[in-house]
């Protein structure tokens, strides 16, 4: 897949593309400002499921990144939209910071929803989820990322726990965030563009680039965050372009 000749919108991952933890990736602030000034529609996509939406927006703005609430799509937000659209009342396994956003567990759950509980993952929680799924309850996961980049190195992400429950129950989880096609369609709808008018910029070859290109959106891989040199030789997913970082791609685009 090649880059569109006249893109109108940019779909931008946050962690690993604009920042890592509390550290900005150099040039991100200036690149965003230049892209806005050039008239690109910006939509920010994140699979982060430990941090509430309002906290995430405040953090980005504190770092100096011009990320606006109406431009941000999150995996928890997509999950809650999915749950509400189906009238479900889940048992949630989430990080304590996200509890106020998703609400309490249902007394009689009719679905299991898994987020990234971080250090709060334990056997009892996972076994409860296992038993509910074995009873026939739908299994929904906010994301299934393998790992993410923190300031001190790569860290295990929730995908390992999703895969573990899938293995033990024999039930495939329905993913709400990236790389699910509805998540990318929501980004296009937010920007008001078609797939061939947008570019996805991310550091995750499978969930950012692969997911976007499966939805007909050209993907640009940046060599920051969780990027690995092996990504450039993947036989199945070939980015439309690879750049050293977000700022360099912005300069190329402009």
């Amino acid at each position: 897949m090649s880059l569109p000749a006249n893109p109108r919108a940019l779909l931008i991952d946050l962690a690993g593309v604009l920042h890592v933890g509390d550290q900005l990736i150099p040039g991100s602030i200036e690149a965003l400002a230049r892209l806005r000034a050039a008239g690109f529609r910006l939509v920010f996509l994140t699979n982060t499921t430990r941090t509430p939406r309002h906290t995430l927006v405040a953090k980005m703005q504190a770092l100096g990144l011009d990320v606006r609430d109406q431009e941000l799509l999150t995996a928890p937000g997509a999950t809650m939209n999915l749950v509400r659209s189906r009238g479900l009342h889940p048992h949630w396994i989430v990080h304590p910071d996200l509890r106020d956003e998703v609400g309490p567990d249902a007394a009689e759950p009719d679905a299991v929803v898994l987020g990234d509980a971080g250090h709060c993952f334990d056997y009892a929680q996972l076994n409860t989820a296992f038993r509910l799924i074995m009873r026939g309850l739908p299994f929904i996961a906010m994301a299934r990322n393998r790992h993410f980049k923190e300031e001190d190195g790569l860290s295990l992400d929730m995908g390992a726990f999703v895969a573990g429950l899938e293995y033990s129950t024999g039930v495939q989880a329905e993913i709400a965030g990236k790389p699910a096609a509805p998540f990318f369609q929501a980004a296009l709808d937010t920007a008001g563009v078609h797939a061939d008018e947008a570019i996805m910029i991310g550091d995750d070859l499978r969930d950012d680039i692969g997911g976007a290109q499966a939805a007909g959106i050209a993907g640009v891989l940046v060599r920051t965050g969780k990027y690995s040199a092996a990504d450039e030789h993947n036989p199945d997913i070939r980015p439309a372009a690879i750049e050293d970082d977000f700022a360099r791609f912005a300069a190329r685009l402009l």
Side-chain angles (χ1 to χ4, degrees):
M1 179 176 289
S2 58
L3 293 173
N6 297 294
R8 298 173 57 207
L10 302 176
L11 314 183
I12 306 167
D13 187 25
L14 291 176
V17 175
L18 302 181
H19 73 100
V20 172
D22 293 328
Q23 298 296 316
L24 283 168
I25 293 175
S28 297
I29 293 175
E30 298 80 6
L32 274 182
R34 293 180 65 203
L35 292 168
R36 282 197 187 278
F40 287 101
R41 300 177 188 183
L42 306 181
V43 181
F44 301 93
L45 286 68
T46 178
N47 267 3
T48 298
T49 65
R50 294 185 187 182
T51 308
R53 179 191 183 87
H54 67 276
T55 303
L56 189 57
V57 172
K59 176 180 178 178
M60 295 301 99
Q61 293 177 350
L63 287 173
L65 293 166
D66 186 7
V67 174
R68 304 171 187 178
D69 183 78
Q70 69 273 18
E71 299 170 334
L72 177 63
L73 296 182
T74 70
T79 304
M80 288 186 287
N81 288 340
L82 177 64
V83 165
R84 290 168 185 152
S85 72
R86 297 182 184 171
L88 296 173
H89 307 87
H91 174 80
W92 301 87
I93 298 180
V94 295
H95 193 279
D97 290 348
L98 206 67
R99 178 55 71 172
D100 287 343
E101 187 167 319
V102 302
D105 295 329
E108 296 292 334
D110 52 14
V112 173
V113 177
L114 186 69
D116 183 0
H119 67 279
C120 296
F121 273 126
D122 61 29
Y123 177 82
Q125 282 196 7
L126 292 169
N127 198 44
T128 296
F130 165 77
R131 290 178 175 180
L132 290 171
I133 297 167
M134 290 297 288
R135 277 174 37 193
L137 272 63
F139 178 23
I140 299 169
M142 293 185 180
R144 63 179 309 139
N145 297 73
R146 296 174 179 176
H147 52 262
F148 61 100
K149 182 71 176 291
E150 296 189 280
E151 293 174 42
D152 60 349
L154 292 176
S155 291
L156 182 70
D157 212 332
M158 62 174 287
F161 299 96
V162 177
L165 283 171
E166 288 177 332
Y167 175 77
S168 294
T169 63
V171 175
Q172 188 80 14
E174 179 176 2
I175 308 301
K178 295 178 290 184
F183 193 66
F184 286 101
Q185 185 58 53
L188 295 174
D189 293 344
T190 298
V193 301
H194 299 294
D196 59 1
E197 299 174 303
I199 299 171
M200 174 71 205
I201 307 163
D203 67 321
D204 187 313
L205 182 71
R206 186 174 64 94
D207 291 338
D208 292 338
I209 309 308
Q213 295 194 160
I217 305 165
V220 174
L221 181 68
V222 290
R223 297 185 179 104
T224 53
K226 67 179 72 171
Y227 160 86
S228 165
D231 293 341
E232 301 195 30
H233 307 288
N234 187 288
D236 301 316
I237 304 174
R238 301 298 300 167
I242 301 174
E243 287 288 346
D244 284 345
D245 54 36
F246 177 73
R248 293 207 180 192
F249 178 68
R252 168 181 172 177
L253 196 60
L254 295 167

